[in-house]
């Protein structure tokens, strides 16, 4: 049963009960069907259309405070509008027809937060919500100056996907609900503020920044970042933001941004967001990248110094079409965002660097897919493309399946129907569904009507329903091959017996070749072998985050002591969950490893974003 907090006086998220029958009468029946299990909003009754956000960033007490004023559409004459909030203090609510509205804040669900019910009159065109975030807001990471590159200024960034936008803005937090926005953000004078919107390129004197996003976006693409940030243009419509200490390196690493954009447009149509910039965040950023419109958020761990990890940029750029333009309707359709994006990312990379290069990416991706299936089990329902996230945190169902099984299905479609046909279908998919949402069922309907109907054989060959609704990996998957990796397989086989690797053979290896080598070392290698490899190739000292992470897995398993100091260093500086999770998982397999992991984590935890903290907390508890 629900408790309600009612009224303007309820400034906190305490679960108090008050009596206010008038608000209760205004409530929409619980039985109203909701498409999105992860939002309390009922958009078919009353929905947001535009946001005017006016907030200030308070670095002293690590809170954001301000007002979110929404233009709303109430086509059904509903008598309330429902918002998502989590850990927010609602200070005051006004509508066009009434100030000091008596609102209702439901008791909190563990990961969904609290529904905010605002009574409205049928004629109301707007509602405004004055609010404050709490000190431990899940989406926000407030970094002290010491946690930044420059060590002089604090830093703040958000991570809203999947359902964390509601922790820093009261909003209808569903990927199926889009709105335009304007924002005014007051920051301390010496910080630059950026959003997923039209952005400034340099600081101003008063620390007050204004933003505009004229294309409708869902709440999970709301993003903000503030710090000692500088800008360097890469081309007329692309560029890089970073702390000044990192700016030149970042701009060099991502020099091909314009080429990627040109390739993407050639494939699937005009870029819809005018400008494409990228910000390199401090290392605690919990993801590799996040496709915030106009401004990809990116981990510094892809700055390898040799441009070898830039597929991530192609990936986030590709989301400008798959995800940001054509959006998954709910998180159960997540594969439509990520599977399409992986496919698109590899097409961009092929365009720029050729098939040999992309073959390596494809094989590594396929290895990820196989190990995910092995890890969670081929019968596990989370290996279906269409997820069932009922009563679950969407984060729990978001695995490599959406990415790599999703991509594998699209590869199969391309291969069966021919690239030209498939591209024509995809072009139509992006143009017909631009600024709309799509769910799995609708996609299958379109696929059947627009592509598979052209040839009955294709349909029976592909068995697309099986891919989408059945667990595991269908037998008709195309197993990618890489010529370069075949050579490495030979070297690995030799190593099995000779216990030696001829350094000359590896002289021209790129990151991907090293990754294939490290991932496929014989399972029975000994500590001696690991010592030999480290002495020969200095893996423990690698400056490449992917190589380091792959190497540490072996070092942990075989207790290769010289790697443990760099490992501790890595775990305390890098907050990217993709690296942390397997490393901690490997560590806690032994008692000594567990002790080490706990010691390191105690130091590292304050540096992690809540997204990573939650995962590692659960593993080490
Ligand atoms: N949108 C995702 C990140 C994400 C997914 C955040 C789910 C929250 C919930 C982003 O586009 C992504 O996939 N990033 C990858 C990198 C990519 C190259 C596969 C990552 O962070 O590792
Ligand atoms: Zn992605």
């Amino acid at each position: 049963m629900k408790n309600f907090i009612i009224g303007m006086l309820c400034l906190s998220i305490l679960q108090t009960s008050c009596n206010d029958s008038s608000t209760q009468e205004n409530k929409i029946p619980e039985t109203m069907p909701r498409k999105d299990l992860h939002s309390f909003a009922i958009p078919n009754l009353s929905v947001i259309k535009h946001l005017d956000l006016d907030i200030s960033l308070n670095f002293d007490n690590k809170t954001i405070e301000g007002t979110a004023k929404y233009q709303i559409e109430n086509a059904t004459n509903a008598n309330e509008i429902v918002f998502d909030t989590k850990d927010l203090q609602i200070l005051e609510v006004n509508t066009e027809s009434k100030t000091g509205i008596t609102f209702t804040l439901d008791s909190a669900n563990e990961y969904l937060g609290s529904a905010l019910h605002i009574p409205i009159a049928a004629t109301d065109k707007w509602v405004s919500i004055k609010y404050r975030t709490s000190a431990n807001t899940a989406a926000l990471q407030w970094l002290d100056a010491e946690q930044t590159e420059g060590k002089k200024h604090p830093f703040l960034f958000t991570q809203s996907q999947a359902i964390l936008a509601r922790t820093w803005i009261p909003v209808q937090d569903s990927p199926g609900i889009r709105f335009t926005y304007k924002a005014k953000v007051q920051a301390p004078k010496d910080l630059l503020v950026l959003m997923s919107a039209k952005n400034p390129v340099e600081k101003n004197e008063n620390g007050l920044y204004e933003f505009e996003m004229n294309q409708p976006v869902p709440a999970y693409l709301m993003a903000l970042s503030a710090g000692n940030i500088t800008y360097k243009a890469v081309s007329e419509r692309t560029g890089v933001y970073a702390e000044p200490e990192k700016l030149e390196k970042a701009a060099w690493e991502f020099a091909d941004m314009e080429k990627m954009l040109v390739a993407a447009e050639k494939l699937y149509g005009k870029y819809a967001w005018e400008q494409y910039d990228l910000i390199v965040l401090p290392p605690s950023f919990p993801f590799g990248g996040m496709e915030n419109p106009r401004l990809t958020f990116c981990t510094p761990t892809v700055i390898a110094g040799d441009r070898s990890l830039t597929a991530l940029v192609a990936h986030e750029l590709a989301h400008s079409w798959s995800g940001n333009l054509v959006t998954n309707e709910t998180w159960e359709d997540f594969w439509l965002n990520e599977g399409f994006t992986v496919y698109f990312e590899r097409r961009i990379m092929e365009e720029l660097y050729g098939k040999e290069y992309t073959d390596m990416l494809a094989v590594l991706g396929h290895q990820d897919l196989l190990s995910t299936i092995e890890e969670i089990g081929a019968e596990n329902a989370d290996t279906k493309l269409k997820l069932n996230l009922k009563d679950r945190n969407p984060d729990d169902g978001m695995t490599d399946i959406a990415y790599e099984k999703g991509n594998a299905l699209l590869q199969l479609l391309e291969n069966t129907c021919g690239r030209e046909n498939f591209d024509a279908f995809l072009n139509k998919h992006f143009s017909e569904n631009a600024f709309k949402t799509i769910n799995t069922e609708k996609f299958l309907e379109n696929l059947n009507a627009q592509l598979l109907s052209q040839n009955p054989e294709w349909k029976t060959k592909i068995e697309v329903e099986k891919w989408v609704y059945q667990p595991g990996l269908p037998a008709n998957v195309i197993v990618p091959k890489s010529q370069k990796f075949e050579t490495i397989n030979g070297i690995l086989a030799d190593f099995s017996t000779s216990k030696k690797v001829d350094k000359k053979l590896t002289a021209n290896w790129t990151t991907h070749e090293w990754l294939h080598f490290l991932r496929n070392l014989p399972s029975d290698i000994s500590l001696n072998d690991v010592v030999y490899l480290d002495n020969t190739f200095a893996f423990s000292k690698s400056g490449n985050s992917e190589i380091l992470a792959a190497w540490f897995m072996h070092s942990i398993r075989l207790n290769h002591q010289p790697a443990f100091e760099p490992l501790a260093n890595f775990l305390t500086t890098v907050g990217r969950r993709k690296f942390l999770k397997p490393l901690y998982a490997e560590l806690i397999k032994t008692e000594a490893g567990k002790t080490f992991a706990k010691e390191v984590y105690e130091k590292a935890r304050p540096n992690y974003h809540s997204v990573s903290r939650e995962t590692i907390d659960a593993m080490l508890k």
Side-chain angles (χ1 to χ4, degrees):
M1 272 277 81
K2 284 180 176 171
N3 292 317
F4 299 118
I5 310 173
I6 298 186
M8 303 164 50
L9 295 176
C10 300
L11 299 182
S12 76
I13 52 157
L14 296 173
Q15 294 180 8
T16 340
S17 287
C18 320
N19 293 317
D20 187 326
S21 53
S22 65
T23 358
Q24 296 224 12
E25 277 162 28
N26 283 340
K27 285 187 65 59
I28 289 157
E30 280 278 313
T31 48
M32 187 61 72
R34 291 199 178 94
K35 266 193 211 153
D36 184 351
L37 301 166
H38 299 106
S39 170
F40 293 112
I42 310 170
N44 42 355
L45 293 185
S46 45
V47 70
I48 56 174
K49 286 289 161 192
H50 174 82
L51 163 65
D52 283 295
L53 188 67
D54 188 348
I55 53 175
S56 55
L57 313 178
N58 187 335
F59 279 80
D60 293 329
N61 61 16
K62 303 189 169 164
T63 57
I64 292 179
E65 183 169 337
T67 304
K69 179 177 175 185
Y70 288 98
Q71 308 291 328
I72 61 170
E73 188 179 280
N74 180 4
T76 61
N77 289 343
N79 50 19
E80 73 167 3
I81 182 162
V82 187
F83 287 86
D84 295 296
T85 75
K86 186 165 189 270
D87 300 334
L88 290 182
Q89 298 178 26
I90 305 302
L91 305 172
E92 185 184 321
V93 176
N94 299 313
T95 65
E96 189 177 4
S97 62
K98 193 167 179 237
T99 49
I101 291 280
T102 304
F103 59 87
T104 311
L105 200 56
D106 290 353
S107 64
N109 170 286
E110 188 192 340
Y111 49 88
L112 301 178
S114 310
L116 168 64
H117 301 261
I118 300 178
I120 49 173
T123 52
D124 283 338
K125 292 280 175 292
W126 58 262
V127 303
S128 81
I129 306 163
K130 190 164 179 239
Y131 72 99
R132 187 186 301 136
T133 64
S134 60
N136 282 316
T137 296
L140 304 179
Q141 189 167 20
W142 303 85
L143 296 170
D144 298 330
E146 308 80 70
Q147 293 167 294
T148 66
E149 197 68 36
K151 318 259 180 245
K152 288 208 191 74
H153 301 275
F155 205 103
L156 167 68
F157 65 83
T158 62
Q159 171 54 43
S160 298
Q161 197 184 12
I163 54 169
L164 301 180
R166 65 191 70 179
T167 71
W168 68 284
I169 310 173
V171 66
Q172 293 190 318
D173 192 4
S174 168
I177 302 175
R178 308 177 85 90
F179 52 96
T180 51
Y181 76 87
K182 282 192 183 153
K184 274 192 199 142
V185 182
Q186 178 66 63
K189 272 205 315 305
D190 43 3
L191 303 187
L192 179 70
V193 183
L194 303 171
M195 290 190 78
S196 47
K198 277 186 193 144
N199 275 314
V201 293
E202 59 186 16
K203 290 179 195 169
N204 62 32
E205 259 151 39
N206 51 21
L208 180 66
Y209 294 91
E210 297 196 17
F211 304 90
E212 220 177 291
M213 171 44 81
N214 293 324
Q215 288 108 320
V217 291
Y220 81 91
L221 296 175
M222 292 298 297
L224 180 146
S225 157
N228 184 30
I229 302 167
T230 46
Y231 182 69
K232 184 164 180 172
V234 169
S235 69
E236 217 164 281
R237 54 178 181 161
T238 70
V240 175
Y241 290 93
E243 285 186 71
E245 297 79 4
K246 276 240 162 84
L247 187 66
E248 289 303 323
K249 270 188 148 184
W252 185 87
E253 199 83 18
F254 305 129
D256 280 347
M257 285 168 82
E258 174 67 29
K259 280 191 200 149
M260 288 183 178
L261 190 41
V262 169
E265 288 192 308
K266 193 174 132 202
L267 282 166
Y268 301 124
K270 196 173 161 14
Y271 179 69
W273 312 87
E274 300 166 356
Q275 183 74 22
Y276 181 70
D277 294 322
L278 174 154
I279 176 170
V280 178
L281 292 169
S284 64
F285 184 57
F287 294 103
M290 176 65 214
E291 65 271 26
N292 297 314
R294 299 181 70 114
L295 182 66
T296 284
F297 280 23
C298 166
T299 170
T301 61
V302 290
I303 304 184
D306 59 3
R307 298 181 179 160
S308 63
L309 301 177
T310 57
L312 180 130
V313 180
H315 179 95
E316 304 312 335
L317 170 67
H319 271 306
S320 308
W321 287 258
S322 44
N324 299 3
L325 198 58
V326 182
T327 308
N328 54 203
E329 185 175 79
T330 74
W331 298 118
E332 296 192 332
D333 305 304
F334 183 57
W335 78 277
L336 293 174
N337 270 20
E338 297 300 344
F340 274 63
T341 300
V342 170
Y343 175 82
F344 193 167
E345 158 206 331
R346 297 203 181 132
R347 292 291 302 274
I348 296 172
M349 295 307 273
E350 184 181 324
E351 202 69 35
L352 263 70
Y353 310 113
K355 183 136 179 4
E356 202 175 57
Y357 187 98
T358 329
D359 284 344
M360 294 195 286
L361 296 180
V363 174
L364 292 169
H366 189 73
Q367 290 169 4
D368 290 334
L369 175 59
L370 296 182
S371 40
T372 301
I373 293 179
E374 190 179 298
E375 191 188 320
I376 66 178
E379 294 303 315
N380 191 319
D382 284 344
T383 64
K384 299 174 184 177
L385 287 177
K386 175 84 182 189
L387 295 170
N388 180 353
L389 296 173
K390 189 165 164 30
D391 298 325
R392 297 169 72 194
N393 187 336
D395 212 35
D396 296 341
M398 292 171 157
T399 65
D400 272 346
I401 297 296
Y403 292 78
E404 294 296 342
K405 186 179 171 184
N407 167 68
L409 169 58
L410 301 188
Q411 288 292 344
L412 178 63
L413 284 163
E414 181 205 298
N415 198 281
T416 312
C417 310
R419 186 172 267 197
E420 214 176 299
N421 291 330
F422 190 52
D423 276 352
F425 167 74
L426 284 182
N427 261 291
K428 203 160 167 207
H429 168 82
F430 289 125
S431 62
E432 277 184 353
N433 300 299
F435 297 106
K436 293 189 193 142
T437 49
I438 183 134
N439 61 31
T440 302
E441 293 65 37
K442 181 82 187 136
F443 168 70
L444 291 184
E445 200 183 301
N446 293 346
L447 181 74
N448 278 317
Q450 297 169 11
L451 185 66
L452 300 184
S453 59
Q454 292 172 30
N455 186 334
E457 265 177 30
W458 293 345
K459 214 174 141 80
T460 40
K461 240 178 124 180
I462 295 167
E463 295 189 287
V464 62
E465 266 84 12
K466 193 165 161 189
W467 275 82
V468 171
Y469 297 114
Q470 298 297 318
L473 191 58
N476 59 354
V477 63
I478 297 165
V479 179
K481 287 228 155 32
S482 149
Q483 201 45 55
K484 291 198 150 181
F485 286 180
E486 294 299 324
T487 313
I488 294 174
N489 292 343
I491 294 171
L492 282 163
D494 287 347
F495 177 67
S496 260
T497 46
S498 71
K499 303 290 182 185
K500 292 266 172 304
V501 179
D502 181 353
K503 251 186 127 169
K504 284 200 291 291
L505 298 175
T506 70
N508 295 320
W509 281 9
T510 61
T511 299
H512 306 102
E513 288 164 289
W514 283 116
L515 281 179
H516 181 72
F517 177 80
L518 287 172
R519 285 175 173 203
N520 293 285
L521 280 170
S523 54
D524 61 352
I525 53 166
S526 66
L527 179 58
N528 277 343
D529 297 331
V530 167
V531 170
Y532 162 78
L533 288 170
D534 211 4
N535 288 339
T536 313
F537 299 109
F539 291 124
S540 295
K541 297 196 183 81
S542 170
N544 185 301
S545 59
E546 293 279 353
I547 291 175
L548 266 183
W551 173 246
F552 288 146
M553 294 299 283
H554 298 289
S555 305
I556 296 168
R557 194 164 57 81
L558 291 154
N559 198 15
H560 173 52
Q561 281 301 319
F564 276 67
E565 200 187 308
L567 169 62
N569 186 34
F570 186 84
L571 291 172
T572 38
T573 49
V574 175
R576 188 174 172 189
R577 186 170 62 174
K578 174 185 118 166
F579 292 142
L580 300 181
K581 204 177 153 186
L583 289 172
Y584 279 106
E586 193 61 38
L587 277 169
I588 60 177
K589 284 183 181 165
T590 66
E591 277 312 310
K594 209 180 275 174
T595 310
F596 176 86
K598 285 192 169 156
E599 263 172 43
V600 172
Y601 189 47
E602 204 180 303
K603 261 188 47 208
R605 193 176 184 279
N607 292 331
Y608 295 168
H609 185 275
S610 77
V611 160
S612 294
R613 262 195 333 249
E614 286 225 343
T615 304
I616 311 301
D617 278 355
M619 293 170 71
L620 296 188
K621 76 168 176 273

